[in-house]
Amino acid sequence: MASSISVCRACLTRPSTLIGRAPRLLRPTSDIHRLLPTTSTVPSLILASAFSTTPSLPAGGGAVNRAKLKSSKLKQTKKKKPKTHFKIWNHAEFPKYALTDAMRYIRAFEVGNDVRQAKYDLAVKIYTQKNGPTVKNRIQLPKAVNTDIRICVFAEGKKADAAREAGAVVVGTKDVWEQIKEGVINFDRRSHAVPRTGTVVTNPAAIISAMIGASEYRERQGVVRIAIGQLGFSTEELRDNIKVFMDQLAKDLARIEDFDKRINEVVLSSTHSPAFSLSGEFRNIGREEDLEITTEVVEGAVAAEGAPVAAVA
Amino acid sequence: MPSPTSRLRWLRAKLYSVRNGTGAAILPPNISRIALSFNYKSNNGHMGPRKFFRECLPRLKYHNPDVDMIVTRKEALEGPATLTIHFSDVPVDIKSQLNKKKQTTPVVRETTSTIDIDMLNRYPDDIMEELVQKTSATLYSEPPRSPELEEEAEYLAVKRENELKEKYKLQRADRRKGKDDALKDSILA
């Protein structure tokens, strides 16, 4: 089959495929070509008939599927070790932001948005195996994030009063059931009381206080995400929330035995803002770029620029 | 989670643009609140206010974190588009606050007087200019980098360029080699 196409055996190029270079390749200039008899006009063809570089066929005489051979070879070379851990990056050289700096930027990006709807999100990257146990827990933050939860309790007597005190919006028995049937109360079927989720209890007051303001978090793809605050929270409130959450997360990670789980990075973002890698400091001190911007700093900068003052004033 | 590199590259640009540009001004301390009121749709001259809200207001908010900025948008197709500046008495401990860098709980300051700016049929730059004039705000511009930093940046840029050149050279060689290999394979097959 090799002899059917015109190929220069010396340099393994097919003249027809390289139109621009063909004359150079056909000209007998290389050392190998000079060894050939000068009478030949097309040296490559003669060469091909003189010997064959194709390996001899196997003894059985069966055809070899070269495509298969080739692909199997490729596969062998490209085979990689399966990754056991989620990928983590070395972010030591990247800038980190103090909490107040990050919050200042986030508030600027979120300007004009509803301070109750927009939330601060915290993402904690964990160095962990791809399989194995994951972190999943509930937390009661010092200042609750989801405050719009409304709870309906079916109870009577003292327990009804206790539930009302704990923060239930609707409390009753048959009358409430009738109202739900008639569609007076907008009732979410998905959050119906079920023993499995722990919402059928003997002491409703305790679980209500746990539900209002509690938030769930779990590890997905090596990252734990949680809404950590509303946009309207002050820096101190957010700091306390983050502190409590990180403490509990560290305990959760330590509780999982036989598996090495470590916190890799903590990133703060919000509903409409970019993400900021947190440095762990509350306020940044000493770095030039994070100088408190007072009027003196600005005047200095303007004086250095010179021209824009006149243009504006 | 995206890699830190990809996150950082555009974050740097984004942060620079929120610090600098039209709207980067520091308001005097007697301003407690800025309220915008305009329509959702841009018909009848409400495009300028929208641009002002999207481009300038974040910068203004960044440089004046303690000033409330409230945006009210209406469903109507016509009507006024106004920017209201609320003035109030300067809190006594503003200077000590700055020095101590201590944040107290936000106190609602009573408005003593207001100024309205008509934003209808105007460009954001134009609105900003009037705002700066009426409030006598100070324009902010990034302080220039120190010569050492500038030098280092230059050095890093040159270094990066050279690295890229080397990288591309290798890539080109690889590509050429790959082509030749493919050709050889096709001949052998």
Side-chain angles (χ1 to χ4, degrees), chain A residues 100 236 282-286 290-292, chain B residues 95-104:
Chain A
T100 45
E236 280 82 9
F282 178 57
R283 206 183 292 280
N284 206 330
I285 305 156
D290 303 302
L291 273 176
E292 189 78 7
Chain B
K95 277 214 160 173
S96 61
Q97 258 189 22
L98 269 178
N99 291 340
K100 278 182 189 169
K101 293 184 176 180
K102 194 188 163 192
Q103 280 204 348
T104 49

Side-chain angles (χ1 to χ4, degrees), chain A residues 138-141 144 146 149 151 166-167 198 203-216:
Chain A
R138 288 171 76 88
I139 189 170
Q140 189 90 32
L141 292 170
N146 297 314
I149 186 169
I151 294 172
N203 183 15
I207 198 160
I208 286 167
S209 55
M211 268 173 93
I212 292 178
S215 31
E216 276 183 23

